[in-house]
mmCIF file of all heavy atoms in Angstrom:
data_model
loop_
_atom_site.group_PDB
_atom_site.id
_atom_site.type_symbol
_atom_site.label_atom_id
_atom_site.label_comp_id
_atom_site.label_asym_id
_atom_site.label_seq_id
_atom_site.Cartn_x
_atom_site.Cartn_y
_atom_site.Cartn_z
ATOM 1 N N ASP F 317 75.577 34.687 -13.480
ATOM 2 C CA ASP F 317 76.219 35.395 -12.392
ATOM 3 C C ASP F 317 77.520 36.055 -12.869
ATOM 4 O O ASP F 317 77.816 37.195 -12.545
ATOM 5 C CB ASP F 317 76.588 34.469 -11.229
ATOM 6 C CG ASP F 317 75.342 33.973 -10.484
ATOM 7 O OD1 ASP F 317 74.247 34.616 -10.660
ATOM 8 O OD2 ASP F 317 75.450 33.023 -9.710
ATOM 9 N N GLU F 318 78.326 35.328 -13.681
ATOM 10 C CA GLU F 318 79.552 35.878 -14.167
ATOM 11 C C GLU F 318 79.300 37.055 -15.127
ATOM 12 O O GLU F 318 80.019 38.079 -15.135
ATOM 13 C CB GLU F 318 80.364 34.778 -14.919
ATOM 14 C CG GLU F 318 80.871 33.662 -13.960
ATOM 15 C CD GLU F 318 81.594 32.554 -14.719
ATOM 16 O OE1 GLU F 318 81.561 32.576 -15.919
ATOM 17 O OE2 GLU F 318 82.126 31.708 -14.029
ATOM 18 N N ILE F 319 78.303 36.856 -16.008
ATOM 19 C CA ILE F 319 77.946 37.960 -16.926
ATOM 20 C C ILE F 319 77.455 39.217 -16.185
ATOM 21 O O ILE F 319 77.854 40.333 -16.454
ATOM 22 C CB ILE F 319 76.815 37.509 -17.928
ATOM 23 C CG1 ILE F 319 77.398 36.418 -18.800
ATOM 24 C CG2 ILE F 319 76.260 38.646 -18.683
ATOM 25 C CD1 ILE F 319 76.316 35.574 -19.580
ATOM 26 N N ASN F 320 76.672 39.008 -15.102
ATOM 27 C CA ASN F 320 76.179 40.143 -14.357
ATOM 28 C C ASN F 320 77.294 40.875 -13.619
ATOM 29 O O ASN F 320 77.335 42.093 -13.499
ATOM 30 C CB ASN F 320 75.125 39.681 -13.329
ATOM 31 C CG ASN F 320 73.847 39.285 -13.991
ATOM 32 O OD1 ASN F 320 73.571 39.685 -15.127
ATOM 33 N ND2 ASN F 320 73.040 38.498 -13.326
ATOM 34 N N LYS F 321 78.278 40.067 -13.140
ATOM 35 C CA LYS F 321 79.423 40.766 -12.426
ATOM 36 C C LYS F 321 80.293 41.545 -13.389
ATOM 37 O O LYS F 321 80.986 42.451 -12.985
ATOM 38 C CB LYS F 321 80.336 39.619 -11.803
ATOM 39 C CG LYS F 321 79.686 39.027 -10.531
ATOM 40 C CD LYS F 321 80.536 37.921 -9.982
ATOM 41 C CE LYS F 321 79.907 37.255 -8.743
ATOM 42 N NZ LYS F 321 80.717 36.099 -8.302
ATOM 43 N N SER F 322 80.204 41.233 -14.687
ATOM 44 C CA SER F 322 80.967 41.957 -15.695
ATOM 45 C C SER F 322 80.184 43.108 -16.295
ATOM 46 O O SER F 322 80.557 43.661 -17.338
ATOM 47 C CB SER F 322 81.423 41.008 -16.809
ATOM 48 O OG SER F 322 82.327 40.017 -16.279
ATOM 49 N N GLY F 323 79.062 43.400 -15.699
ATOM 50 C CA GLY F 323 78.203 44.553 -16.222
ATOM 51 C C GLY F 323 76.947 44.193 -16.878
ATOM 52 O O GLY F 323 76.164 44.972 -17.300
ATOM 53 N N GLY F 324 76.669 42.815 -17.022
ATOM 54 C CA GLY F 324 75.429 42.451 -17.609
ATOM 55 C C GLY F 324 75.446 42.455 -19.087
ATOM 56 O O GLY F 324 76.480 42.448 -19.716
ATOM 57 N N VAL F 325 74.274 42.512 -19.694
ATOM 58 C CA VAL F 325 74.077 42.568 -21.155
ATOM 59 C C VAL F 325 73.320 43.850 -21.540
ATOM 60 O O VAL F 325 72.222 44.088 -20.974
ATOM 61 C CB VAL F 325 73.353 41.336 -21.689
ATOM 62 C CG1 VAL F 325 73.146 41.377 -23.134
ATOM 63 C CG2 VAL F 325 74.086 40.035 -21.261
ATOM 64 N N LEU F 326 73.875 44.640 -22.394
ATOM 65 C CA LEU F 326 73.224 45.887 -22.747
ATOM 66 C C LEU F 326 72.985 46.754 -21.542
ATOM 67 O O LEU F 326 72.010 47.489 -21.420
ATOM 68 C CB LEU F 326 71.913 45.673 -23.503
ATOM 69 C CG LEU F 326 71.984 44.761 -24.763
ATOM 70 C CD1 LEU F 326 70.584 44.707 -25.422
ATOM 71 C CD2 LEU F 326 72.977 45.328 -25.764
ATOM 72 N N GLY F 327 73.884 46.655 -20.528
ATOM 73 C CA GLY F 327 73.743 47.431 -19.336
ATOM 74 C C GLY F 327 72.692 46.914 -18.408
ATOM 75 O O GLY F 327 72.405 47.594 -17.389
ATOM 76 N N ARG F 328 72.148 45.733 -18.632
ATOM 77 C CA ARG F 328 71.084 45.194 -17.810
ATOM 78 C C ARG F 328 71.485 43.814 -17.219
ATOM 79 O O ARG F 328 72.285 43.066 -17.847
ATOM 80 C CB ARG F 328 69.744 45.029 -18.557
ATOM 81 C CG ARG F 328 69.254 46.356 -19.087
ATOM 82 C CD ARG F 328 68.243 46.128 -20.246
ATOM 83 N NE ARG F 328 67.073 45.461 -19.798
ATOM 84 C CZ ARG F 328 66.078 44.982 -20.622
ATOM 85 N NH1 ARG F 328 66.244 45.138 -21.950
ATOM 86 N NH2 ARG F 328 65.062 44.426 -20.139
ATOM 87 N N LYS F 329 71.036 43.488 -16.045
ATOM 88 C CA LYS F 329 71.328 42.189 -15.436
ATOM 89 C C LYS F 329 70.476 41.108 -15.995
ATOM 90 O O LYS F 329 69.372 41.292 -16.513
ATOM 91 C CB LYS F 329 71.061 42.291 -13.946
ATOM 92 C CG LYS F 329 71.827 43.305 -13.138
ATOM 93 C CD LYS F 329 73.314 42.984 -13.089
ATOM 94 C CE LYS F 329 74.054 44.001 -12.203
ATOM 95 N NZ LYS F 329 75.526 43.706 -12.184
ATOM 96 N N ILE F 330 71.003 39.896 -16.076
ATOM 97 C CA ILE F 330 70.227 38.710 -16.448
ATOM 98 C C ILE F 330 69.534 38.133 -15.253
ATOM 99 O O ILE F 330 70.187 37.948 -14.152
ATOM 100 C CB ILE F 330 71.173 37.647 -17.071
ATOM 101 C CG1 ILE F 330 71.661 38.135 -18.422
ATOM 102 C CG2 ILE F 330 70.417 36.313 -17.322
ATOM 103 C CD1 ILE F 330 72.667 37.183 -19.131
ATOM 104 N N GLU F 331 68.284 37.867 -15.333
ATOM 105 C CA GLU F 331 67.540 37.231 -14.207
ATOM 106 C C GLU F 331 67.139 35.819 -14.732
ATOM 107 O O GLU F 331 66.417 35.661 -15.743
ATOM 108 C CB GLU F 331 66.308 38.039 -13.857
ATOM 109 C CG GLU F 331 65.461 37.382 -12.761
ATOM 110 C CD GLU F 331 64.220 38.169 -12.468
ATOM 111 O OE1 GLU F 331 64.137 39.365 -12.661
ATOM 112 O OE2 GLU F 331 63.175 37.530 -12.049
#
Side-chain angles (χ1 to χ4, degrees):
D317 289 347
E318 292 176 356
I319 292 165
N320 289 340
K321 287 178 183 176
S322 298
V325 180
L326 304 181
R328 300 162 64 189
K329 300 291 186 183
I330 292 176
E331 179 184 332

